[in-house]
Amino acid sequence: MTKLVGIINITPDSFSDGGACFDADFAIQAIAQQVEDGANIIDIGAESTRPGAIPITAAEEWERLAPVLAALPHFDDADVHFSVDTRHAETAKRALAEGVHWINDVSGFSDPAMVEAVRNSKCKLVMMHSVSVPADKNMVMPESQDVMEALLMWARARIAALESAGIGRSRMIFDPGIGFGKTARQSLTILRDIGRFAALEVPVLIGHSRKSFLSAFGHSRDEATLVVSQYLAQAKLDYLRVHDVATH
């Protein structure tokens, strides 16, 4: 059964919610609501990776995350796991010490320091493909490239690298990075051919929620998100990363 990964952005400039959860108290309330709404995993991020976002340091990131992660023990009785969305090794180490279950790295664990930070833990690793971080609309995969073959090749290389570092395949989750360096056409191709990723023999996560390519459907982004989510659930996708957990 497809599991829902709820999104909590502790940033002042989120593309989808305009910083609604930037205040720690509001973020904790939003987490509680997503738990009630039925999220299986809640992914908490403190650095925006939207196009035009300004990168922040690990220290700044942790300043935003710390008060929110400190509240996670309040949810120990809930049937939910917590993820931290970070590309900083120091943040990952600190988050794991706070008991999070997943590290979601938009840079695909390309930094050896990040691999070392997670290597001896038991956490799940979401390895996302991206052409650039933050996303840049001017930096995309060539239209002439076979996007599926390129993503499969990248994922196999990352799986091999993590395995060589002593990390078991059972801990890995692949995210092809919808919208991160892909044109709208390429994003739609990924969704159409999603079944090809089964060859990787790791779970697959898709984060399509409210992204700009959905405008091609001619509906609001929330409506289009649900249409795509239903299609992916019927295709037996492992994880959907979404903003609106309740409606899903």
Side-chain angles (χ1 to χ4, degrees), residues 17 43 105 124:
D17 54 29
D43 190 38
D105 183 2
K124 298 282 189 181

Side-chain angles (χ1 to χ4, degrees), residues 58-101:
E60 291 172 311
E61 184 180 43
W62 187 250
E63 185 177 357
R64 298 175 182 180
L65 281 170
V68 177
L69 298 188
L72 296 190
H74 296 305
F75 302 100
D76 282 348
D77 293 335
D79 187 19
V80 64
H81 283 180
F82 290 97
S83 169
V84 165
D85 181 349
T86 183
R87 59 195 176 98
H88 298 288
E90 186 60 33
T91 300
K93 285 190 286 188
R94 288 179 158 187
L96 289 170
E98 293 292 330
V100 302
H101 308 91

Side-chain angles (χ1 to χ4, degrees), residues 167-191:
I167 295 171
R169 187 182 290 250
S170 63
R171 292 176 55 194
M172 303 178 202
I173 299 168
F174 172 56
D175 177 355
I178 294 288
F180 280 81
K182 288 88 179 172
T183 65
R185 183 186 297 274
Q186 289 168 337
S187 292
L188 291 169
T189 297
I190 293 167
L191 297 177

Side-chain angles (χ1 to χ4, degrees), residues 191 208 213-214 217 223-233:
L191 297 177
H208 61 296
F213 83 99
L214 294 169
F217 286 86
E223 289 174 326
T225 295
L226 284 167
V227 170
V228 173
S229 294
Q230 184 176 28
Y231 163 77
L232 292 171

Side-chain angles (χ1 to χ4, degrees), residues 37-182:
D37 291 340
N40 303 104
I41 301 97
I42 295 177
D43 190 38
I44 305 167
E47 181 182 30
S48 176
T49 53
R50 66 174 179 80
I54 299 173
I56 62 174
T57 66
E60 291 172 311
E61 184 180 43
W62 187 250
E63 185 177 357
R64 298 175 182 180
L65 281 170
V68 177
L69 298 188
L72 296 190
H74 296 305
F75 302 100
D76 282 348
D77 293 335
D79 187 19
V80 64
H81 283 180
F82 290 97
S83 169
V84 165
D85 181 349
T86 183
R87 59 195 176 98
H88 298 288
E90 186 60 33
T91 300
K93 285 190 286 188
R94 288 179 158 187
L96 289 170
E98 293 292 330
V100 302
H101 308 91
W102 288 19
I103 296 295
N104 179 8
D105 183 2
V106 295
S107 63
F109 295 91
S110 57
D111 180 0
M114 177 64 96
V115 176
E116 186 59 29
V118 302
R119 186 168 61 86
N120 293 322
S121 72
K122 296 181 180 179
C123 71
K124 298 282 189 181
L125 311 179
V126 181
M127 47 183 189
M128 193 193 85
H129 176 273
S130 179
V131 174
S132 65
V133 180
D136 185 337
K137 293 179 180 179
N138 298 313
M139 294 180 65
V140 297
M141 299 174 72
E143 283 282 12
S144 59
Q145 188 172 24
D146 185 327
V147 66
M148 295 302 293
E149 279 300 320
L151 289 170
L152 284 164
M153 185 179 299
W154 180 88
R156 289 186 180 112
R158 295 312 309 144
I159 290 168
L162 291 172
E163 286 184 322
S164 69
I167 295 171
R169 187 182 290 250
S170 63
R171 292 176 55 194
M172 303 178 202
I173 299 168
F174 172 56
D175 177 355
I178 294 288
F180 280 81
K182 288 88 179 172

